[in-house]
Amino acid sequence: MAAPLHIVFNLGAGHGSAELVEQAITQACASAGRAVHLLRVDDPRRLGDIARQAVQAAVADGGVVVAAGGDGTINTVAQATLGSGCAFGVLPQGTFNYFSRTHGIPAEPDAAMQVLLTEQAHPVQVGLVNGQVFLVNASLGLYPVLLEDREAWKRQLGRSRLVAFGAGLLTLLRGHRSLRLDIDVQGSRRTLRTPTLFIGNNALQMEQLGVPQAQAIDAGALAVVALQPVGRLDLLGLVLRGALGRLGDADQVTHFGCQRLTVLPPWRWGRRRVKVATDGEVQRMRLPLEFSVSPTDLQLIRPAAPAPERQDP
């Protein structure tokens, strides 16, 4: 018999209609004769617990764990699923949906359900920072601040790419101090001064920014991007380059690929906690920060063919 679906459904996540998504799930599973267990999340604080419950149930009956929601929901459910032996599925409801798009999973609930019901699981690379999963990117410095400002705007004006862009623009105009980071890249020590350190695990996002390390991600590495200290106008210029897919050409950008990177604690910082963003969710982590490729892949149900946006990289 086909594996049951254990769907963690975050009612408050993303921008779609929860009722329409739930209807698409139940109708598709009924038509396919597929068992489905819908675990509704009405309190974001319980998301992690509910995700772990879904994994336990899937382990017991050989089922598939599915995340229905935005990037934060997908990240949390992936964290619970990684290493469990269970297949993982996604019903994307976020703003940018880089993880689902890079793997050819459509944003429309009906089409995404057809992928879940008809396709097979394939191994997908996962990034880790101090044991925390990131599927798209992780960062520290300016980028986590930008994300916090963006979420504040979204709570007032709703979720859209235009709101996200406007919030980011205002954050950049306020300015931000640069960090002095001592890093260890696979045994080689170096010092960076940068307003933000960005670790990418999504080739599609790197391609759209114009950073050549998309190929490094395809080859099993992470993409590291650091901006040099610049003024506000130059920083806005770099953002524009990224929007036009030309960020990697800028002289003020350092980028390279690696499988492991450590941000070491300067003596004056001690082992204090710093803000780190993972797939759009900001939390405080204690230094040193250990970024790496997970030794265990996520078994994602996705089309076997390359995603339409990546067929001609």
Side-chain angles (χ1 to χ4, degrees), residues 1 10 18 42 67 111 136 175 200 211 227 234 255 298 301-302 307:
M1 296 181 64
N10 191 350
D42 52 11
V136 180
V211 177
L227 308 183
D234 287 335
H255 50 82
L298 195 63
I301 296 179
R302 61 172 179 83

Side-chain angles (χ1 to χ4, degrees), residues 233-258:
L233 290 179
D234 287 335
L235 190 57
L236 289 174
L238 291 175
V239 171
L240 179 59
R241 276 182 172 270
L244 296 175
R246 297 170 47 202
L247 185 63
D249 297 334
D251 293 335
Q252 304 95 329
V253 177
T254 299
H255 50 82
F256 55 89
C258 66

Side-chain angles (χ1 to χ4, degrees), residues 157-208:
L157 302 176
R159 292 180 178 272
S160 73
R161 296 189 182 188
L162 183 60
V163 170
F165 179 78
L169 187 62
L170 286 182
T171 302
L172 295 176
L173 289 173
R174 287 208 314 265
H176 188 77
R177 68 182 181 86
S178 292
L179 303 174
R180 181 185 181 278
L181 301 176
D182 295 320
I183 65 173
D184 183 306
V185 184
Q186 298 174 184
S188 176
R189 295 279 294 266
R190 61 191 296 185
T191 298
L192 286 177
R193 287 194 62 85
T194 178
T196 191
L197 181 67
F198 185 93
I199 315 294
N201 185 48
N202 185 277
L204 175 62
Q205 186 179 50
M206 294 297 101
E207 286 172 354
Q208 294 194 341

Side-chain angles (χ1 to χ4, degrees), residues 83-105:
S84 68
C86 297
F88 180 68
V90 170
L91 294 173
Q93 295 293 296
T95 303
F96 294 98
N97 296 325
Y98 273 117
F99 178 69
S100 56
R101 286 164 55 199
T102 202
H103 296 296
I105 300 171

Side-chain angles (χ1 to χ4, degrees), residues 21-285:
V21 176
E22 186 169 344
Q23 184 179 34
I25 292 170
T26 54
Q27 288 181 350
C29 289
S31 298
R34 191 80 167 264
V36 60
H37 305 282
L38 202 58
L39 290 80
R40 298 174 180 84
V41 181
D42 52 11
D43 182 351
R45 294 172 296 183
R46 297 194 60 232
L47 177 59
D49 290 337
I50 293 174
R52 287 185 285 273
Q53 291 172 18
V55 172
Q56 291 173 359
V59 169
D61 65 10
V64 177
V65 182
V66 181
D71 290 343
T73 302
I74 294 171
N75 179 290
T76 300
V77 181
Q79 178 84 42
T81 307
L82 186 67
S84 68
C86 297
F88 180 68
V90 170
L91 294 173
Q93 295 293 296
T95 303
F96 294 98
N97 296 325
Y98 273 117
F99 178 69
S100 56
R101 286 164 55 199
T102 202
H103 296 296
I105 300 171
E108 297 76 16
D110 291 334
M113 280 302 303
Q114 289 308 305
V115 169
L116 274 176
L117 294 170
T118 61
E119 299 290 353
Q120 301 297 314
H122 300 267
V124 168
Q125 176 175 300
V126 174
L128 297 175
V129 51
N130 288 10
Q132 170 67 47
V133 161
F134 62 96
L135 302 176
V136 180
N137 59 60
S139 59
L140 64 153
L142 177 59
Y143 195 65
V145 175
L146 186 152
L147 291 173
E148 288 181 325
D149 291 347
R150 188 180 75 183
E151 286 305 307
W153 272 55
K154 285 181 176 180
R155 285 192 291 269
Q156 298 182 48
L157 302 176
R159 292 180 178 272
S160 73
R161 296 189 182 188
L162 183 60
V163 170
F165 179 78
L169 187 62
L170 286 182
T171 302
L172 295 176
L173 289 173
R174 287 208 314 265
H176 188 77
R177 68 182 181 86
S178 292
L179 303 174
R180 181 185 181 278
L181 301 176
D182 295 320
I183 65 173
D184 183 306
V185 184
Q186 298 174 184
S188 176
R189 295 279 294 266
R190 61 191 296 185
T191 298
L192 286 177
R193 287 194 62 85
T194 178
T196 191
L197 181 67
F198 185 93
I199 315 294
N201 185 48
N202 185 277
L204 175 62
Q205 186 179 50
M206 294 297 101
E207 286 172 354
Q208 294 194 341
L209 289 172
V211 177
Q213 268 65 43
Q215 296 177 354
I217 295 173
D218 287 334
L222 299 172
V224 181
V225 181
L227 308 183
Q228 296 178 15
V230 293
R232 296 179 189 179
L233 290 179
D234 287 335
L235 190 57
L236 289 174
L238 291 175
V239 171
L240 179 59
R241 276 182 172 270
L244 296 175
R246 297 170 47 202
L247 185 63
D249 297 334
D251 293 335
Q252 304 95 329
V253 177
T254 299
H255 50 82
F256 55 89
C258 66
Q259 290 192 320
R260 179 174 51 83
L261 179 145
T262 305
V263 177
L264 302 164
W267 64 268
R268 63 185 183 282
W269 285 10
R271 291 178 60 83
R272 77 175 191 183
R273 295 178 181 270
V274 297
K275 286 184 179 180
V276 179
T278 52
D279 294 344
E281 299 294 317
V282 180
Q283 58 186 299
R284 288 189 175 273
M285 293 187 179

